[in-house]
Amino acid sequence: MSAVAYRKSLPVSDPASLEDVELPVPTPGPRDLLVRVEAVSVNPVDTKVRKGDDPGGTPKVLGWDAAGVVTAVGSEVTLFEVGDEVYYAGSITRPGSNSRYHAVDERIVGHKPRTLGFAEAAALPLTTITAWETLFDRFRLDAGSTGTLLVLGAAGGVGSMVVQLARALTDLTVIGTASRPESQEWVRGLGAHRIADHHDLVASVRAVAPQGVDYVLSPKTDGQIEAYAELLRPGGHITAIDEPEGLELLPLKPKSIAFHWELMFTRPLYETDDMIAQHDLLEKVAELVDAGILRTTLTTELGPINAATLRRAHEMVESGRMIGKVVVAGF
């Protein structure tokens, strides 16, 4: 089968940073679906793994977002049938989705929203799972939750879903950071009540939330802890989705501010007892999309799925200026 892989960690400008390869079609395990991939999206994790995890010459396939059609099922599969259209983010411990066929555990897969095409659906899974787990597993929010949520990088993939889910499923006041006019317009369109600028975070947030905030989503945490300590009310919460080195959390202690980590791969990585929660949340999100309550975050669609196109997508993500998501569709 056709796939895109890398053999050595190289800058994305190098043609060898991602290469077209031919690999065997995977054999699904007992709980696996074999999916014919129709579209994938690129996330920061793709570029981080490519740059930081050198496979030493062995082809390694990236890709942790996909939408496609089930072509075979394992002997213990109960949630899906051949022919089902699905969307999912997969597992960091298994080969990625940048291939014509992909094997994935059914417990982390959802039925694709009926109202979306494959490209529109492929934009959603990883960021949706991250956003959902941040709000409802880390912050433990529910439909009656109130307070103020500050979403850093609100025009990005995760931020875009946090804003939408917080507006749809809680009573929080949502402040999103965005600095460019086009990103500010995007965040307002997603439903944020207020816009702040991360370039002068404390003053900008204070201008729209003089009493401070209760929750912070932090996609870039390095150098921000003192600002968060200033802005958060006593007993507030931070969830970080990045990997800052040497992070010093002591400034959070005087206000008893809680610091949480969120990694959407944790459940599949450890095959936790509640691993099926990711299937359940993707099913719920599909219902919300089909009801017109949530929308896709696709802003750029490229094609076909090959090394040259995926290098372009990686360049866009590495630029740090993405609004929404970039998707690569079609073989």
Side-chain angles (χ1 to χ4, degrees), residues 10 161 166 189-190 208 220 297:
L10 295 167
M161 290 311 303
L190 296 173
V208 295
K220 294 183 179 179
T297 54

Side-chain angles (χ1 to χ4, degrees), residues 290-323:
D290 289 337
I293 296 169
L294 300 177
R295 74 189 207 199
T296 182
T297 54
L298 167 64
T299 54
T300 302
E301 181 177 345
L302 305 175
I305 300 172
N306 61 26
T309 311
L310 279 163
R311 284 195 298 272
R312 287 175 57 200
H314 276 234
E315 286 177 346
M316 293 176 67
V317 172
E318 288 182 19
S319 75
R321 297 177 63 82
M322 275 295 303
I323 295 174

Side-chain angles (χ1 to χ4, degrees), residues 114-129:
R114 298 185 306 276
T115 55
L116 297 185
F118 289 110
E120 294 171 310
L124 292 174
L126 186 146
T127 56
T128 295
I129 295 169

Side-chain angles (χ1 to χ4, degrees), residues 154-155 177-188 195 322-323:
T177 70
S179 58
R180 292 173 289 150
E182 59 268 32
S183 57
Q184 291 175 358
E185 180 181 2
W186 171 262
V187 175
R188 287 192 185 94
I195 304 295
M322 275 295 303
I323 295 174

